[in-house]
Amino acid sequence: MKKLIKLLKDKELNYLNQINDFIDPTCIYLPKDNNYQVNDYIYKNTFINNIPSSISGKIAKIEKRKFNNEDIFCYQIINDFKENAKNKIRKKSPKNKEELMNYLDLFHLTEIINKINEKGNLNNIVVCAVDEECYSFNEFISLSNYYNEIITTLNHLLEICVINNGFIATKNTDSGSIKKVKSILGTYPNIKMKLLPDLYLISYEEYLCSYLNIKKEETLIFNTNEILILYNALFKNRVLNEKIITISGNNIAKSLIIKTRIGTPLKEIIDKFIEIKDNNYNIFINGIYVGYQVTSFSDVIISPSIHTIIINKLVIEEETECLNCGACFKICPVNINVKKCYFEKMLSKKCLGCGLCNYICPANLKLKEVIKDGAYEEKNN
Amino acid sequence: MKKKTTKDIVIINIILLIPLIIYGIFKNGYLLYERNLIPFYIIFKPLYLTIISILIKFFFDFITTKKINVNYNLLYMILISMIMPYNINILVYIITLIITYLLTSLLETKFKFNKVALIYLIIILINSIFNGLTFQNPLESTASFNFSFLDLLMGRCIGGISSTSIIFSLLAYTLLINSYYYKKDMPLFINISYLFLSFIFYLITHNSDILLNSELIFASIFIAPLPKYSPYKVKGQVIEGILIGIISFIISILFNKVISIYISIFLVSLLANLSLKKNN
């Protein structure tokens, strides 16, 4: 396993240590399925394409929008601000793992169910509250603000799955959340707090388990968002249709952490909260290294997988000839022959998509885009 | 860790070469002037050669792209100026450098070889026709010195005009070693294999002449690991490094200690490319 590195922090970055609410969007967009048409009424928490509607209202039109970096047709649901919910899920809280799976299925939490099912013998559950890139504060803020809920849920999961080892892992630099978690941890003997060094990729399963000295195969890892989804399902009988997102970058006056509803157009949030310094900027979704770039805010919708929006000053990085320096090969955490894959246009299944090859490349080649995402196909077509 | 561009890497390398150039001015300029062997303006001959190289590079840049670029070609040109023999005629240097630079740039599109080593070898060949094959400065050719080991480490060996300081070369290596962009294994294995063989040779013949080769240390640190002409995998670097060390040792015994490293770097880079082509 390769040694992890510390990425350089953006010195121009600053943020407010509080969550701003934006839970009253005028409309939301959800990916179109074939069950609804224009003018149909959508109740709150109705599942459309496995995503819960976060508002109630009528479908006004069907338009193309950018959802998870794909341009797809979406229903535009106009908010009637009535919060009409049709089917409130009422069922007894689960007592064992099997009941838990059935229970989570009611909330369409397929990803979490698959995650639990993937592991055979569980011995540890880890809540990893680590923000990889310096532009994201979601995990830190969530742990800091919802530490009670997170610890309660973790403890409940440990009881249901009959496991004795629960961990809350956070970076050793997040002093605010460390203090809060430690203040109540005494009442939960099965939960330990683990402090991790501020290194890039530390939250990746392999590295995290290695640092915590636990076996990967026996460990279930959740982030704080997943734990909050579970908290709402297990303790509140409700689907979590809100999300905490960070909007940061060196081209905005102040980075903000915003609680918003799934399906909200990003433009609405930007217009309300964000003061952009310069008109020339780059927009990155979910991180500079692991995420993707978009050209404007107007089409972007807050999907369940979006957690960070970065607005940075425009930097034009011209691609030059490969130097054959081998830095990409040296830095790759999974030892991919990056240069070979790039020039032979090979996709790599091993690729984590961490973006370190792009970060290190002095010739500014878009290596990750070719190796992980197969961007060459688009270029060739 | 901060991301570096090609320009940054080149500038770092150039900064690391500055102490060597300054030492070159001291050894091949000041010390000679002090003994009245050269006029004052010749003190800065190492610097003149470097400036000429830079100007030629920028001239070609301007002709081809209408702007001045800080790229690896600039580093190549500076390195070439530093490894020239003291007796190089400036006019011969300018003409040969322009021709060989153009020629190698054309050849490079068909073959991959270490451009710096080839340009150097061609210039040395042409210069030797006019001035003979010698690397001694006027002081070294007129007197015999009994230098201490420290003097030799500082750079009092016979070699290129600004490339003899072993201390500064090693210092640069220790600074480059942590860089993701530097192929640190190659210099290590060149020197290990060369030292191993020359030490055995010394044990057999009691001839210590080839043991300390400042040119080999300089070229192994700055020229052999040039990214474009060397493998990026550790295994490749080790194999090429050992090969360069062995060939350098053989040429040092049979022909010339100073240019041995350049011949071997050129040959190995050419061979590596040919074997790669054959495998494909």
Side-chain angles (χ1 to χ4, degrees):
Chain A
M1 205 167 64
K2 282 195 179 172
K3 204 179 156 193
L4 297 180
I5 60 159
K6 191 174 179 175
L7 296 184
L8 198 74
K9 298 232 157 115
D10 195 331
K11 283 175 189 162
E12 291 180 55
L13 214 60
N14 46 38
Y15 72 100
L16 290 174
N17 190 1
Q18 64 181 63
I19 300 175
N20 296 276
D21 282 343
F22 183 69
I23 47 172
D24 48 359
T26 53
C27 68
I28 63 159
Y29 287 84
L30 292 177
K32 178 182 172 285
D33 62 10
N34 294 322
N35 299 330
Y36 302 96
Q37 285 157 2
V38 175
N39 286 330
D40 280 357
Y41 190 82
I42 303 293
Y43 288 92
K44 191 181 171 184
N45 293 340
T46 306
F47 283 91
I48 301 176
N49 262 327
N50 257 349
I51 302 166
S53 170
S54 53
I55 56 165
S56 60
K58 270 189 176 180
I59 297 176
K61 52 188 170 186
I62 297 167
E63 277 182 332
K64 252 193 176 176
R65 284 289 182 269
K66 203 171 265 300
F67 210 88
N68 291 341
N69 199 22
E70 279 179 73
D71 289 315
I72 50 172
F73 283 103
C74 294
Y75 295 125
Q76 186 200 38
I77 305 165
I78 304 292
N79 196 355
D80 62 4
F81 299 99
K82 288 178 182 164
E83 306 274 315
N84 285 333
K86 201 178 180 184
N87 305 316
K88 176 112 184 173
I89 298 161
R90 290 184 192 283
K91 209 181 173 202
K92 266 191 169 181
S93 197
K95 296 276 179 253
N96 56 44
K97 202 176 160 187
E98 204 176 303
E99 279 180 32
L100 175 72
M101 295 301 175
N102 296 331
Y103 188 80
L104 297 180
D105 199 33
L106 298 172
F107 294 88
H108 294 243
L109 299 174
T110 328
E111 276 181 30
I112 294 177
I113 294 169
N114 290 342
K115 206 177 207 181
I116 300 170
N117 279 337
E118 265 175 29
K119 307 281 176 177
N121 284 332
L122 277 180
N123 258 334
N124 318 292
I125 300 180
V126 181
V127 178
C128 182
V130 170
D131 296 296
E132 284 290 2
E133 290 188 23
C134 67
Y135 294 98
S136 184
F137 312 109
N138 294 340
E139 296 293 328
F140 160 66
I141 286 289
S142 297
L143 185 63
S144 184
N145 283 271
Y146 302 107
Y147 61 99
N148 244 324
E149 289 86 343
I150 289 168
I151 293 172
T152 312
T153 314
L154 175 59
N155 190 52
H156 195 58
L157 283 174
L158 291 171
E159 280 172 6
I160 291 172
C161 299
V162 201
I163 301 170
N164 291 328
N165 300 317
F167 298 96
I168 295 193
T170 187
K171 282 190 181 173
N172 53 18
T173 48
D174 298 341
S175 54
S177 58
I178 295 169
K179 210 174 168 186
K180 285 177 179 173
V181 172
K182 281 200 168 169
S183 69
I184 62 159
L185 217 52
T187 47
Y188 300 93
N190 292 337
I191 302 174
K192 295 170 199 79
M193 181 157 211
K194 292 279 180 181
L195 304 182
L196 304 170
D198 187 11
L199 299 170
Y200 186 58
L201 295 185
I202 192 81
S203 69
Y204 275 59
E205 195 180 27
E206 201 170 320
Y207 294 109
L208 183 65
C209 291
S210 159
Y211 268 88
L212 297 179
N213 211 8
I214 51 178
K215 282 183 186 168
K216 191 175 111 180
E217 304 77 31
E218 299 173 351
T219 307
L220 196 57
I221 301 169
F222 293 113
N223 59 30
T224 52
N225 185 47
E226 286 170 326
I227 285 288
L228 289 175
I229 290 172
L230 284 169
Y231 173 80
N232 277 278
L234 291 167
F235 294 101
K236 304 266 180 189
N237 279 332
R238 77 179 192 105
V239 181
L240 185 68
N241 45 36
E242 288 151 4
K243 254 199 94 66
I244 291 173
I245 59 164
T246 305
I247 302 182
S248 65
N250 54 33
N251 195 41
I252 58 176
K254 203 95 182 164
S255 300
L256 290 177
I257 294 109
I258 296 165
K259 188 158 116 186
T260 186
R261 297 207 166 177
I262 290 167
T264 308
L266 178 60
K267 184 93 175 57
E268 270 195 47
I269 303 172
I270 298 288
D271 289 345
K272 183 164 181 190
F273 289 100
I274 305 297
E275 187 193 326
I276 293 174
K277 286 183 195 167
D278 192 282
N279 284 336
N280 298 317
Y281 48 82
N282 288 321
I283 310 163
F284 300 91
I285 308 282
N286 286 353
I288 291 182
Y289 311 115
V290 293
Y292 52 92
Q293 212 173 340
V294 292
T295 46
S296 78
F297 301 115
S298 54
D299 286 348
V300 180
I301 304 302
I302 303 296
S303 69
S305 64
I306 285 185
H307 52 78
T308 309
I309 287 101
I310 301 162
I311 304 158
N312 268 0
K313 282 171 192 162
L314 184 71
V315 179
I316 300 166
E317 290 184 330
E318 207 180 309
E319 281 190 37
T320 55
E321 192 193 354
C322 173
L323 297 177
N324 192 42
C325 64
C328 51
F329 178 63
K330 270 187 222 167
I331 206 166
C332 179
V334 286
N335 293 321
I336 297 171
N337 191 341
V338 182
K339 190 196 159 198
K340 190 181 174 193
C341 287
Y342 179 78
F343 285 105
E344 294 182 9
K345 305 204 182 310
M346 282 157 53
L347 282 172
S348 174
K349 283 180 188 168
K350 271 198 320 183
C351 181
L352 301 173
C354 66
L356 277 175
C357 48
N358 280 8
Y359 175 77
I360 203 87
C361 181
N364 296 318
L365 299 178
K366 301 279 173 262
L367 301 161
K368 187 198 99 183
E369 282 73 359
V370 171
I371 294 159
K372 176 75 177 170
D373 313 327
Y376 63 90
E377 284 170 8
E378 279 173 37
K379 275 185 200 168
N380 288 353
N381 292 337
Chain B
M1 196 185 64
K2 195 186 170 200
K3 179 187 170 118
K4 290 185 180 70
T5 60
T6 309
K7 193 177 165 183
D8 298 333
I9 302 167
V10 170
I11 290 171
I12 289 170
N13 274 280
I14 293 172
I15 291 169
L16 293 174
L17 290 173
I18 291 171
L20 283 131
I21 297 173
I22 294 170
Y23 186 79
I25 295 169
F26 171 74
K27 186 203 164 201
N28 294 310
Y30 175 74
L31 288 180
L32 307 185
Y33 174 72
E34 201 185 25
R35 287 167 174 81
N36 293 322
L37 290 166
I38 53 165
F40 179 78
Y41 67 94
I42 301 290
I43 292 177
F44 301 100
K45 190 174 179 182
L47 194 63
Y48 299 152
L49 291 179
T50 306
I51 292 167
I52 288 167
S53 294
I54 293 170
L55 290 177
I56 291 173
K57 194 266 171 193
F58 286 160
F59 172 72
F60 279 118
D61 270 1
F62 193 74
I63 287 177
T64 50
T65 60
K66 294 270 177 249
K67 61 177 182 179
I68 287 163
N69 301 313
V70 177
N71 54 22
Y72 263 91
N73 279 333
L74 180 67
L75 182 65
Y76 300 161
M77 294 299 255
I78 295 173
L79 285 170
I80 290 164
S81 73
M82 292 175 70
I83 54 182
M84 283 298 125
Y86 179 84
N87 72 354
I88 184 84
N89 181 301
I90 290 198
L91 196 65
V92 171
Y93 178 69
I94 294 170
I95 297 166
T96 348
L97 188 60
I98 292 171
I99 295 167
T100 48
Y101 183 76
L102 278 173
L103 191 76
T104 49
S105 298
L106 287 172
L107 274 175
E108 222 180 4
T109 55
K110 291 185 179 175
F111 301 99
K112 200 175 127 191
F113 52 83
N114 195 306
K115 195 169 160 178
V116 178
L118 182 64
I119 294 177
Y120 172 79
L121 291 171
I122 296 172
I123 298 177
I124 288 291
L125 185 73
I126 293 166
N127 186 56
S128 65
I129 297 167
F130 298 100
N131 302 315
L133 184 63
T134 175
F135 292 88
Q136 291 170 329
N137 65 27
L139 186 63
E140 287 158 346
S141 56
T142 52
S144 178
F145 296 96
N146 188 15
F147 290 123
S148 66
F149 183 65
L150 191 66
D151 284 331
L152 293 172
L153 280 184
M154 270 312 289
R156 297 302 293 270
C157 317
I158 293 167
I161 198 159
S162 309
S163 60
T164 52
S165 177
I166 295 173
I167 292 263
F168 287 131
S169 295
L170 291 176
L171 192 69
Y173 180 67
T174 53
L175 294 171
L176 285 169
I177 210 162
N178 285 322
S179 166
Y180 270 92
Y181 309 97
Y182 185 67
K183 293 166 181 175
K184 63 176 188 293
D185 298 291
M186 214 160 171
L188 200 67
F189 282 89
I190 292 174
N191 284 291
I192 287 174
S193 55
Y194 180 87
L195 275 175
F196 177 73
L197 292 172
S198 50
F199 189 68
I200 290 173
F201 182 75
Y202 166 72
L203 289 178
I204 297 166
T205 62
H206 296 286
N207 179 358
S208 62
D209 279 357
I210 63 161
L211 261 176
L212 199 67
N213 187 343
S214 63
E215 210 60 22
L216 182 116
I217 291 170
F218 177 83
S220 68
I221 290 168
F222 290 105
I223 297 170
L226 282 173
K228 204 173 173 184
Y229 312 116
S230 52
Y232 60 89
K233 283 191 173 180
V234 175
K235 197 178 159 189
Q237 287 174 46
V238 172
I239 294 169
E240 282 201 15
I242 292 172
L243 261 177
I244 292 171
I246 294 169
I247 299 171
S248 298
F249 168 74
I250 296 167
I251 299 170
S252 293
I253 294 171
L254 301 176
F255 181 49
N256 186 302
K257 190 172 95 170
V258 179
I259 59 169
S260 63
I261 180 71
Y262 300 105
I263 298 174
S264 52
I265 287 173
F266 171 67
L267 285 178
V268 171
S269 67
L270 197 66
L271 278 173
N273 181 47
L274 290 176
S275 67
L276 268 179
K277 272 192 178 174
K278 204 179 172 184
N279 286 339
N280 289 336

